[in-house]
Amino acid sequence: MKVFDPYRILGISPEANLEEIRRAFREKARQLHPDLGGKKELFLELKRSYDFLCARLSPNRLRIFKERPRGDNYLLSFLDVTAKELALGATVTVVVPGKPKICPHCHGKGQNPSGRKEKCLLCEGQGEIEFLGAKRHLKIVCPRCGGRGKVFVDICPHCRGRGEISGERELILKLPLGARPGDILHLPPREENEVDIFFELQVHPSGNIVFEGRQLVSRVAVSFWNFALGRPLEVETLEGYEKIFLPPRFQPGTFFTLPNRGPYREDGSREDLLIKVEVVFPLDLPPTARKKLKEFAEIMEKEAQDATSGYQS
Ligand SMILES: [Zn+2]
Ligand SMILES: [Zn+2]
């Protein structure tokens, strides 16, 4: 077996950083892309090298965790991805939970400091309240307006009056190669006083591509006449739509595979993509087509009869 050497394929040194890897990929892709006349196999190998190195060097890489975490000092969240994103180890935007923070706009008061103000009704705009005692007067700062004589009437638009904002953050993360539905992904703490975050994967179909268990399947529908005539199918692959001929003697209800065109494994190699062919029979046929189909049936029945009588004589 040929040794997989992504650095040689990209033409870079093993010390190359992410930026150099990206640059090398862009340059090579210009020569090798099938749309620009390049060979598909070479381009796929280039893409595989690029994806593999990016996944390994990305600082925002999630890690695959095969079991649920123990203890209680962690956060568990969901991560919605498409089958295609998971298969290719895509970069996804994730909202991660966090502890609520005091609103920096209103400093936790919940009112809009640049909004409308009105006279404080408690101190009648004086800012202080006077108590007249028998022996002496007592003046205190108005507890309602804090001495300003005015109060804010609009709620803080930043925190909607709650005084605190959610600690949620948006992160751009790289899905690890080799992750499959059912796996749990782990994001280690990135700063002090952060906790581990674990993600349960929720995988959605992308177009015709779905995970069935841990296997990636591309579903394709074909009319019965195109199927019978052996015409090529438009199959959705991870690299886009492709014209593909069914293998000889292929029967509906079974799979055929595109070798090494499925999801990545952890080592950067790829599994097969399974193609599931569904033969479609239209509910209504135009009368002329129906007539031809009847003729077809008669030919086939006669063929069968001849074959049987030939055998008997
Ligand atoms: Zn606020
Ligand atoms: Zn007041």
Side-chain angles (χ1 to χ4, degrees), residues 108-145:
K109 294 201 168 60
Q111 299 135 347
N112 185 358
S114 47
R116 287 174 300 149
K117 298 180 183 86
E118 64 182 23
K119 197 168 90 174
C120 174
L121 293 175
L122 189 64
C123 62
E124 291 178 317
Q126 300 303 304
E128 48 188 25
I129 301 171
E130 222 175 321
F131 293 98
L132 298 175
K135 287 179 187 158
R136 60 189 182 107
H137 290 189
L138 179 66
K139 268 187 187 173
I140 61 159
V141 175
C142 172
R144 182 158 186 252
C145 62

Side-chain angles (χ1 to χ4, degrees), residues 103-108 110-111 156 158-161 163-164:
C103 174
H105 190 67
C106 64
H107 303 289
Q111 299 135 347
C156 171
H158 202 68
C159 62
R160 294 203 174 79
E164 58 178 33

Side-chain angles (χ1 to χ4, degrees), residues 46-229:
L46 178 73
K47 179 114 193 337
R48 174 187 165 195
S49 306
Y50 173 70
D51 287 339
F52 177 71
L53 291 181
C54 280
R56 209 163 68 176
L57 293 179
S58 171
N60 294 338
R61 180 164 63 119
L62 291 159
R63 284 159 185 85
I64 303 171
F65 217 71
K66 292 288 175 195
E67 50 188 315
R68 278 168 168 279
R70 292 166 213 276
D72 52 9
N73 196 26
Y74 65 86
L75 288 165
L76 188 63
S77 190
F78 290 106
L79 183 53
D80 280 289
V81 294
T82 66
K84 209 166 165 173
E85 287 171 333
L86 190 63
L88 293 175
T91 299
V92 291
T93 307
V94 181
V95 176
V96 296
K99 291 194 189 97
K101 288 185 277 211
I102 287 176
C103 174
H105 190 67
C106 64
H107 303 289
K109 294 201 168 60
Q111 299 135 347
N112 185 358
S114 47
R116 287 174 300 149
K117 298 180 183 86
E118 64 182 23
K119 197 168 90 174
C120 174
L121 293 175
L122 189 64
C123 62
E124 291 178 317
Q126 300 303 304
E128 48 188 25
I129 301 171
E130 222 175 321
F131 293 98
L132 298 175
K135 287 179 187 158
R136 60 189 182 107
H137 290 189
L138 179 66
K139 268 187 187 173
I140 61 159
V141 175
C142 172
R144 182 158 186 252
C145 62
R148 282 184 297 268
K150 287 187 169 126
V151 288
F152 300 112
V153 288
D154 295 331
I155 62 164
C156 171
H158 202 68
C159 62
R160 294 203 174 79
R162 283 191 304 267
E164 58 178 33
I165 52 169
S166 131
E168 280 182 351
R169 287 163 306 148
E170 222 175 55
L171 294 179
I172 294 170
L173 299 174
K174 184 102 178 106
L175 295 170
L177 299 187
R180 298 288 180 271
D183 286 345
I184 287 174
L185 302 184
H186 173 217
L187 181 67
R190 294 141 51 88
E191 287 164 31
E192 260 182 82
N193 71 46
E194 274 190 353
V195 295
D196 293 271
I197 303 175
F198 293 90
F199 295 98
E200 240 173 62
L201 280 171
Q202 293 196 321
V203 188
H204 305 278
S206 22
N208 300 310
I209 296 182
V210 293
F211 268 99
E212 291 189 3
R214 293 173 76 87
Q215 263 177 332
L216 197 65
V217 174
S218 175
R219 296 172 175 160
V220 56
V222 54
S223 63
F224 73 84
W225 57 91
N226 278 340
F227 182 82
L229 293 170

